[in-house]
């Protein structure tokens, strides 16, 4: 039914499931990008733990982290693809889905390499609390992303993913989309961040976020406190300004940094073969 190693067929099946008229803004794309990011964003360079290898979100320890609330939707969207191409690992499928979604939504081509395993090494399980908290500021952002090995420019480029999708009250407690067309990849997020007058608002659930009323849309757009921190911080801001005016440069830098994100914790030999994961003792197979 499906040829072992035919990643092109997997890509096509992911592309075909993106259109979801009943879901959010009509696309599974944004939540798939978030799944890829959260699968990789637990990485800690110092202890070489976390990262996309192992697809740990299948299990309660990681999947039940409140930071991952809502990502079961992404995993459910992808399950038929996994059933059809049963030879692909979840770790590869989740990262590839993010890559395909970005491209299909009009974003750059992102480099993706196969080979992640679904082998869970207990000694490499990330503790909770490794993903960023949107209620915080620049110090917190740096603490989280420096841990993975990213610099200030890379942090701002990665944050451009907030061109996509929206916040859900019942997932993060925040509410709304960042941009008017949240299923089209672009640099609008950076442009709006600088051009609009954002003011703080406390939602009914007590969560604080920044909002701006968009007249054409007749709707409020939003920014997280961490998004606004990028414009307030003297070392982040120049990158926001650059990406707001240079869409091409944003695409190039986003492509580089996203490719780096999904390779965190993956060790390859010269031929590109992954040499960690499966051959580590002390874990279990799913
Ligand atoms: Zn997000 N993100 N993120 N992000 N993110 C949300 C949604 C999405 C932060 C964050 O707290 C939140 C990156 C960085 C950071 C996406 C991609 C990437 C939401 C809303 C929150 C609260 C969740 C909800 O309620 O459904 C913080 C604090 C970040 C860094 C400081 C990076 C890096 C990303 C990818 C490269 C995407 C695509 C979404 C939209 C998901 C959706 O379901 O629509």
């Amino acid at each position: 039914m499906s040829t072992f190693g035919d990643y092109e067929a997997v890509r096509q099946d992911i592309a075909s499931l993106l259109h979801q008229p009943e879901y959010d803004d009509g696309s599974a794309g944004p939540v798939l990008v978030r799944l890829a990011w959260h699968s990789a964003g637990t990485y800690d360079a110092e202890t070489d733990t976390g990262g996309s290898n192992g697809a740990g979100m299948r299990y309660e320890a990681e999947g039940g982290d409140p930071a991952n609330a809502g990502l079961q939707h992404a995993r459910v969207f992808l399950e038929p693809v996994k059933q059809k191409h049963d030879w692909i690992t979840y770790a590869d499928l989740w990262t590839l889905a993010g890559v395909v979604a970005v491209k299909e939504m009009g974003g750059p081509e992102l480099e993706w390499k196969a080979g992640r395993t679904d082998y869970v090494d207990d000694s490499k399980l990330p503790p909770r609390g490794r993903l960023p908290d949107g209620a915080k500021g620049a110090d917190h952002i740096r603490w989280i992303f420096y841990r993975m090995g990213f610099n200030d420019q890379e942090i701002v480029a990665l944050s451009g993913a907030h061109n996509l999708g929206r916040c859900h009250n019942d997932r993060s407690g925040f509410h709304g989309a960042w941009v008017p067309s949240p299923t089209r990849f672009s640099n609008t997020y950076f442009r709006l961040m600088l051009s609009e007058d954002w003011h703080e608002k406390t939602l009914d659930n007590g969560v604080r976020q920044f909002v701006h009323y968009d007249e054409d849309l007749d709707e409020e757009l939003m920014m997280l406190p961490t998004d606004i921190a990028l414009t307030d911080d003297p070392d982040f801001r120049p990158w926001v300004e650059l990406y707001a005016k240079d869409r091409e440069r944003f695409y190039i830098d986003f492509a580089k940094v996203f490719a780096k994100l999904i390779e965190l914790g993956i060790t390859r030999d010269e031929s590109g073969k992954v040499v960690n994961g499966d051959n580590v003792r002390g874990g279990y197979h799913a």
Side-chain angles (χ1 to χ4, degrees):
M1 186 164 175
S2 166
T3 313
F4 183 91
D6 187 356
Y7 293 103
E8 198 40 51
V10 179
R11 283 178 190 260
Q12 280 170 22
D13 285 339
I14 295 167
S16 320
L17 69 77
L18 295 180
H19 181 61
Q20 295 284 346
E22 304 295 317
Y23 180 77
D24 268 10
D25 302 286
S27 172
V31 79
L32 293 179
V33 174
R34 190 167 196 239
L35 178 69
W37 139 239
H38 277 207
S39 79
T42 56
Y43 188 65
D44 173 40
E46 203 177 298
T47 55
D48 190 29
T49 55
S52 61
N53 232 354
M57 245 187 278
R58 289 171 296 156
Y59 305 104
E60 178 58 22
E62 189 176 336
D65 186 335
N68 287 327
L71 291 180
Q72 70 275 12
H73 292 277
R75 294 195 293 275
V76 168
F77 284 132
L78 290 175
E79 197 50 33
V81 183
K82 170 67 179 165
Q83 296 305 321
K84 183 170 166 192
H85 308 276
D86 58 354
W87 48 267
I88 196 172
T89 62
Y90 281 103
D92 270 350
L93 179 61
W94 294 351
T95 47
L96 181 58
V99 163
V100 171
V102 166
K103 179 74 191 153
E104 292 292 316
M105 292 188 284
E109 188 95 49
L110 308 173
E111 189 186 13
W112 178 86
K113 296 186 234 165
R116 290 163 198 77
T117 75
D118 283 347
Y119 176 85
V120 175
D121 177 355
D122 290 328
S123 70
K124 304 235 173 223
L125 276 181
R128 290 186 179 183
R130 285 216 177 151
L131 293 162
D133 176 350
K136 300 210 164 125
D139 288 353
H140 170 76
I141 300 173
R142 287 201 172 88
W143 178 67
I144 295 280
F145 285 89
Y146 285 5
R147 186 203 69 220
M148 292 180 237
F150 292 118
N151 63 29
D152 288 353
Q153 172 265 317
E154 292 172 314
I155 292 171
V156 177
L158 267 180
S159 301
H162 284 170
N163 270 286
L164 301 172
R166 56 174 56 251
C167 295
H168 306 77
N169 261 318
D170 59 336
R171 301 184 191 176
S172 61
F174 295 102
H175 177 75
W178 289 267
V179 304
S181 304
T183 64
R184 288 308 292 169
F185 196 88
S186 78
N187 64 341
T188 308
Y189 161 80
F190 295 117
R191 290 195 290 107
L192 292 180
M193 193 184 270
L194 295 175
S195 64
E196 303 301 347
D197 184 26
W198 298 95
H199 58 273
E200 207 174 311
K201 176 179 176 178
T202 303
L203 307 179
D204 291 344
N205 58 9
V207 170
R208 288 160 58 218
Q209 65 182 40
F210 289 83
V211 296
H212 148 74
Y213 176 72
D214 183 304
E215 281 177 16
D216 299 337
L217 215 62
D218 189 23
E219 231 179 80
E220 262 182 5
L221 295 173
M222 65 87 63
M223 291 279 162
L224 299 168
T226 42
D227 296 310
I228 294 297
L230 300 179
T231 67
D232 289 343
D233 182 272
D235 295 312
F236 285 141
R237 189 178 173 103
W239 298 108
V240 174
E241 289 172 349
L242 176 67
Y243 297 142
K245 66 168 188 276
D246 191 342
R247 180 175 166 279
E248 280 315 303
R249 179 67 193 274
F250 166 54
Y251 274 38
I252 291 166
D253 286 358
F254 184 82
K256 273 192 208 139
V257 72
F258 198 89
K260 177 173 168 179
L261 172 73
I262 58 176
E263 282 291 309
L264 294 176
I266 316 292
T267 313
R268 297 179 187 273
D269 66 15
E270 278 159 27
S271 71
K273 186 175 178 301
V274 176
V275 293
N276 63 336
D278 236 344
N279 48 358
V280 184
R281 294 168 65 91
Y284 52 90
H285 280 274

